[in-house]
Amino acid sequence: MPRPYTLFTGQWADLPFEEVAKLASGWGYDGLEIAVSGDHLDAWRWDEPGYVESKLAVLEKYNLKVWAISNHLKGQAVCDDPIDFRHEAIVGAKVWGDGDPEGVRQRAAEEMKHTARLAKALGVDTVVGFTGSSIWQYVAMFPPVPEKVIDAGYQDFADRWNPILDVFDECGVRFAHEVHPSEIAYDYWTTVRTLEAIGHREAFGLNWDPSHFMWQGIDPVSFIWDFKDRIYHVDCKDTKLRPTGRNTVMGSHLPWGDPRRGWDFVSAGRGDVPWESSFRALTAIGYNGPISVEWEDAGMDRLHGAPEALAALKKFDFPPSQTSFDAAFSQD
């Protein structure tokens, strides 16, 4: 059975939910990965009579399904330090409140718990998102950072996320963390350390998004294999690398799409992600969940790019063989 293809609505939250559903259906998507953002989803309304039913009715109207929802923006605020103007711009008035940093973290954690409840109400078993990090600010490790500070950062993550994951367990829902710079798990070894910090509890897994691996030099295919028991969801975004000796992986504080950057996000199929090898690896580990297109490309109109990305990815994602190689060659 082919894997379903969904459109992640995070980059479309400026449009009404029904408009995005209509667009995605017309382009041939099977469903949506719905973001808790804009009018698409509000986690605080998870138990409001008729709310969930209204969202499901829109999906049904356009012959779409939902296998996962996401809440990246509020998850970011759970562990971040500092909490500042950047968070005020993304977490919304309810979570921001008076802006007191610890209050923001606590309200963000409460929203993540509600997101698990909302997922259950929608009949969904996976929430995709970020965790934030109190130690990302030390990524350069200079001025020198004592080991105890890094240890404390992972302990802070565990202390803040274990109570959230308890609610996920109660709801029968899993959290798929997107391994991403600025998070507690942002590369290979920090992913290992993060899973260790929470005792490898099953409620916490990974959202495989290769775009963030490419510019860091992480092999996205090996990552699938090494963390095969934790790949709970797949987001597809592409990255084009263009280091020149002047353009570097650090980005130089330049905006997306600036030709002086050493890399940029591009529409899936137009970058350097080894999609065929990646899909073969996903098949090898038995991943049958949704392939979600997270469309980002500063140089392309999204109304052109989203359907193009769907077609590009499907070229690399084909049904596995139903006959083993050995069996095929053992016939007389």
Side-chain angles (χ1 to χ4, degrees), residues 108-328:
E110 191 63 27
E111 177 160 327
M112 295 310 295
K113 295 174 183 177
H114 287 328
T115 303
R117 297 172 179 127
L118 176 59
K120 179 181 179 180
L122 285 163
V124 166
D125 67 3
T126 303
V127 171
V128 183
F130 291 150
T131 61
S133 171
S134 64
I135 53 175
W136 170 251
Q137 59 188 300
Y138 306 124
V139 65
M141 295 300 281
F142 187 84
V145 182
E147 185 177 354
K148 65 180 181 180
V149 173
I150 304 304
D151 292 342
Y154 283 99
Q155 188 60 55
D156 178 72
F157 156 71
D159 291 344
R160 293 182 184 279
W161 273 89
N162 271 320
I164 298 171
L165 296 173
D166 288 343
V167 176
F168 272 72
D169 278 335
E170 291 169 8
C171 294
V173 176
R174 309 176 301 179
F175 183 73
H177 168 58
E178 185 168 334
V179 179
H180 183 293
S182 79
E183 311 308 322
I184 195 68
Y186 60 86
D187 64 7
Y188 187 96
W189 294 114
T190 56
T191 300
V192 172
R193 182 82 185 266
T194 296
L195 293 172
E196 291 173 347
I198 53 170
H200 294 269
R201 61 184 297 177
E202 291 186 8
F204 188 93
L206 306 173
N207 177 52
W208 181 82
D209 180 342
S211 64
H212 307 294
F213 300 154
M214 297 303 294
W215 65 270
Q216 295 185 79
I218 301 167
D219 176 13
V221 179
S222 296
F223 192 95
I224 291 171
W225 184 255
D226 289 355
F227 296 102
K228 54 183 174 290
D229 64 329
R230 295 291 159 157
I231 305 297
Y232 290 173
H233 190 261
V234 167
D235 271 354
C236 291
K237 198 158 77 255
D238 216 331
T239 295
K240 188 65 180 176
L241 302 168
R242 46 176 184 268
T244 65
R246 294 197 301 266
N247 301 358
T248 75
V249 297
M250 299 304 291
S252 305
H253 294 296
L254 294 167
W256 306 115
D258 191 302
R260 295 171 293 171
R261 290 180 59 89
W263 63 276
D264 234 322
F265 294 132
V266 295
S267 190
R270 291 183 175 268
D272 297 311
V273 172
W275 290 112
E276 181 172 336
S277 296
S278 297
F279 283 132
R280 286 177 181 268
L282 289 169
T283 298
I285 68 168
Y287 178 80
N288 294 312
I291 303 296
S292 189
V293 174
E294 183 181 358
W295 192 85
E296 287 187 34
D297 190 326
M300 182 186 295
D301 187 277
R302 61 184 177 180
L303 296 179
H304 171 86
E308 178 196 84
L310 175 63
L313 291 171
K314 283 189 171 183
K315 289 192 303 183
F316 300 113
D317 188 19
F318 38 78
S321 171
Q322 300 301 307
T323 305
S324 73
F325 186 84
D326 289 343

Side-chain angles (χ1 to χ4, degrees), residues 5-23:
Y5 276 77
T6 60
L7 179 67
F8 173 51
T9 74
Q11 285 78 21
W12 305 77
D14 58 311
L15 299 180
F17 177 63
E18 182 162 357
E19 185 174 345
V20 178
K22 182 178 180 180
L23 286 169

Side-chain angles (χ1 to χ4, degrees), residues 39-97:
D39 85 325
H40 295 195
L41 283 177
D42 182 343
W44 298 86
R45 300 175 67 183
W46 71 273
D47 59 348
E48 179 183 308
Y51 180 72
V52 167
E53 291 77 8
S54 70
K55 299 300 180 181
L56 293 174
V58 171
L59 294 175
E60 184 177 4
K61 178 179 179 180
Y62 294 101
N63 196 31
L64 298 172
K65 297 184 181 301
V66 56
W67 289 270
I69 64 174
S70 71
N71 199 343
H72 292 74
L73 303 183
K74 303 353 176 294
Q76 184 69 45
V78 172
C79 288
D80 264 7
D81 187 9
I83 295 287
D84 57 27
F85 64 93
R86 300 166 300 164
H87 300 83
E88 184 177 10
I90 65 172
V91 299
K94 186 181 293 290
V95 170
W96 181 254

